[in-house]
Amino acid sequence: MEVKILSARFDIDNAHRIDVARTHGAYRALDKLFAMAPAEVIEEVKASGLRGRGGAGFPTGMKWGFLPKDTGKPVYLAVNSDESEPATFKDRYILVRDPHALIEGIIICCWAIGCHDCYIYIRGEYTSQVKILQAAIDEAYGAGYLGARVAGRDFRLDVTVHRGAGAYVCGEETALLESIEGKKGQPRSKPPFPAVVGLFGCPTIINNVQSIASLPYIIANGAAAYRAYGTEKSCGTHLFGISGHVERPGMYELPLGLPLLEVLENVAGGVWKGRKLKGVIPGGSSTPVLTPAEAATVTLDYESMAAHKTMFGSGGIVVLDETVDMVRLVENLIAFYHHESCGQCTPCREGLGWMLKIVRKLLAGEGTVADIDLLRELCDNIEMKTVCVLSAACTMPVRSYLEKFRDEFEAYALDGGSPQPEQREG
């Protein structure tokens, strides 16, 4: 099931060094790139069907096409490496094991959109990743792939690494821009969208690390080669981080469209310790949970996930076995998003704290069935009533647990405790 496109150099010793990376194909797409007009590059990326790998899944080439023409302003690229979604750890593999794929992708993107200054916004906690990435950038400057004349062409490109301060909300693209500008990392109201008014008031494209790192293969091998993987609407491959209660957790590159349960069984070794499957979080903590029955019919692509009323998300799959206490899981989930709220919008700032109090009241054996109904009502009243989707990233999954595992919440309300205490791990 596994394929090696993005991860082709992951297992090569010292592939983060430019001499090793070049030996194994890094920067070979540049000759073909500079023989193409920027518009041709955009059309090639559109034809590949590449969609944003940060979670939204918006077509990458189409996004580039939203840039206004001839504004007289500089165009910026901001690479979103603020990988903070719980259960998501794919981008750091690229940053550490093949940073030159990201740099080559940045060159491709910047040539296509007419950009000469790129910022890589990286999660504050990624200390070792920053060191490796910066060393790779320094190597690229030294080899002439960055700077005044990229690969000897009349094209300037400078890349700056900007470290965040550890705020989840800065993964939201406009909060990310505010942070780069030195302001408090809070999302902006939209419109205008960043493609029109972005970094420093100029047109800006914001792409995820994996999206950018996918570009060298597409340019070197053509859109058709990329579309040979995946489905008609969900093309290519994806880095899936599989964690939780499986025998072989890890990072796997797979074509889109594979059946979820086959992947869990054949790639990740199945549910650990011979236990039964209780649920699957399909794409990071913000995605609604799937029951075993739903997991049996879903495939790993955007369309199937939407049909099952969840989201593809970041590809961070979490497997939950039969011992998981869903009420305690929801407490952990709400506590994270409540802590990470930037406080700009009242429904998020106050509402998530209210939800957390209710869940903790249930866990203390002091809640009622009416509290469960109130928790559900709060989800509806908070969601999409804020500037960004941070609160929705909490309410959408919470609603799914309330609907699919309500009996566990009622057990706390009616009996003051977990419904299956003998199965719980301490």
Side-chain angles (χ1 to χ4, degrees), residues 391-412:
S391 59
C394 178
T395 57
M396 289 188 298
V398 168
R399 183 187 295 110
S400 72
Y401 292 101
L402 288 170
E403 292 177 349
K404 299 174 183 178
F405 299 96
R406 185 180 172 94
D407 60 317
E408 295 197 24
F409 291 84
E410 289 184 346
Y412 274 104

Side-chain angles (χ1 to χ4, degrees), residues 356-389:
L356 185 59
K357 287 179 181 177
I358 293 172
V359 172
R360 288 179 172 168
K361 183 180 174 184
L362 287 167
L363 287 168
E366 299 170 353
T368 64
V369 173
D371 287 320
I372 301 171
D373 294 333
L374 177 59
L375 193 60
R376 177 68 171 76
E377 185 180 342
L378 282 170
C379 290
D380 296 339
N381 286 326
I382 292 171
E383 194 169 307
M384 306 310 290
K385 296 176 177 65
T386 51
V387 170
C388 78
V389 296

Side-chain angles (χ1 to χ4, degrees), residues 302-345:
Y302 299 95
E303 289 69 36
S304 181
M305 292 291 178
H308 286 75
K309 298 182 179 180
T310 186
M311 297 180 294
F312 184 86
S314 61
I317 299 171
V318 183
V319 175
L320 310 172
D321 75 14
E322 59 188 323
T323 69
V324 174
D325 183 329
M326 293 304 202
V327 184
R328 293 197 178 278
L329 186 156
V330 165
E331 180 205 19
N332 187 282
L333 183 77
I334 299 174
F336 171 78
Y337 287 101
H338 175 53
H339 177 75
E340 294 296 336
S341 173
C342 75
Q344 181 176 200
C345 306

